[in-house]
Amino acid sequence: MPGTARSPSGEGHGQRPGAHPPLRQQWPAPQSAAVREFLHAWWAHTLLTPDPAVPVHELLPLCAEASAAIGPWLAVWEDLRHPVADRHLADTVDEWEGDLLEDALPWRSWFVRSEEEAEDVRTELTAWLVREAPARLRATGACVELHHSVRLLGLPHADRWEDPHAPRHRYA
């Protein structure tokens, strides 16, 4: 398939991040549809698999990068009300909290062409987590620190570090 040899970091074939539009935009419609269908099936299957081959916190960036959008993937996760999907959410928050608390996208993006686009993706992800994660974290019995991390994401950046439940150290 065209473009599958390039890594999400933009390495391979001499490409640098943001150098060209995502290669999937150059694919013929049937090929693009097949990749999209595969990614959706893989994503839904992974969210319901207790120990997936690719962790959710790695697969979500891959799907978002391949499609140049994060919203559809978050919508699938939101619709899957299942203890396994909730556990993956807790694990993902745990994995990404440091970057997100510093207002950074928790992966190196190759589909965005500007800081503003990266900020839009991070903002969409963070807003979804603030809205969606609290109840699901409670359902998993996640540690209180994860609950506080999600709550802190809803605060302006400067206010996070004044909160009594802010991490003792700054990330970055």
Side-chain angles (χ1 to χ4, degrees):
M1 292 189 318
T4 56
R6 192 168 84 165
S7 75
S9 67
E11 297 167 359
H13 300 295
Q15 301 296 318
R16 58 180 208 290
H20 299 285
L23 292 176
R24 74 207 157 282
Q25 292 177 355
Q26 299 169 7
W27 294 353
Q31 204 173 28
S32 182
V35 170
R36 186 173 32 260
E37 184 177 334
F38 167 77
L39 288 175
H40 277 278
W42 186 17
W43 177 238
H45 174 76
T46 296
L47 288 171
L48 297 173
T49 302
D51 190 21
V54 176
V56 168
H57 70 269
E58 293 178 12
L59 185 56
L60 178 57
L62 184 147
C63 292
E65 296 291 322
S67 65
I70 195 166
W73 311 103
L74 297 176
V76 170
W77 203 346
E78 187 169 338
D79 289 344
L80 286 176
R81 300 296 177 167
H82 191 276
V84 173
D86 294 350
R87 183 71 245 160
H88 289 310
L89 182 58
D91 293 342
T92 299
V93 169
D94 187 46
E95 185 72 28
W96 288 351
E97 70 175 319
D99 288 321
L100 292 173
L101 284 170
E102 287 293 343
D103 286 340
L105 193 60
W107 66 85
R108 185 171 169 200
S109 180
W110 54 271
F111 84 79
V112 296
R113 290 184 212 64
S114 70
E115 289 296 317
E116 293 79 24
E117 289 180 15
E119 178 63 14
D120 290 346
V121 172
R122 188 208 51 84
T123 299
E124 184 176 0
L125 172 61
T126 301
W128 184 84
L129 287 170
V130 168
R131 182 182 75 250
E132 188 65 23
R136 294 174 88 162
L137 290 177
R138 278 191 296 281
T140 68
C143 68
V144 70
E145 289 83 6
L146 283 184
H147 292 272
H148 286 301
S149 291
V150 170
R151 183 184 56 76
L152 291 168
L153 289 174
L155 299 176
H157 187 267
D159 294 346
R160 292 176 193 160
W161 308 109
E162 301 300 322
D163 189 280
H165 298 289
R168 291 201 173 129
H169 62 279
R170 298 277 306 258
Y171 295 93

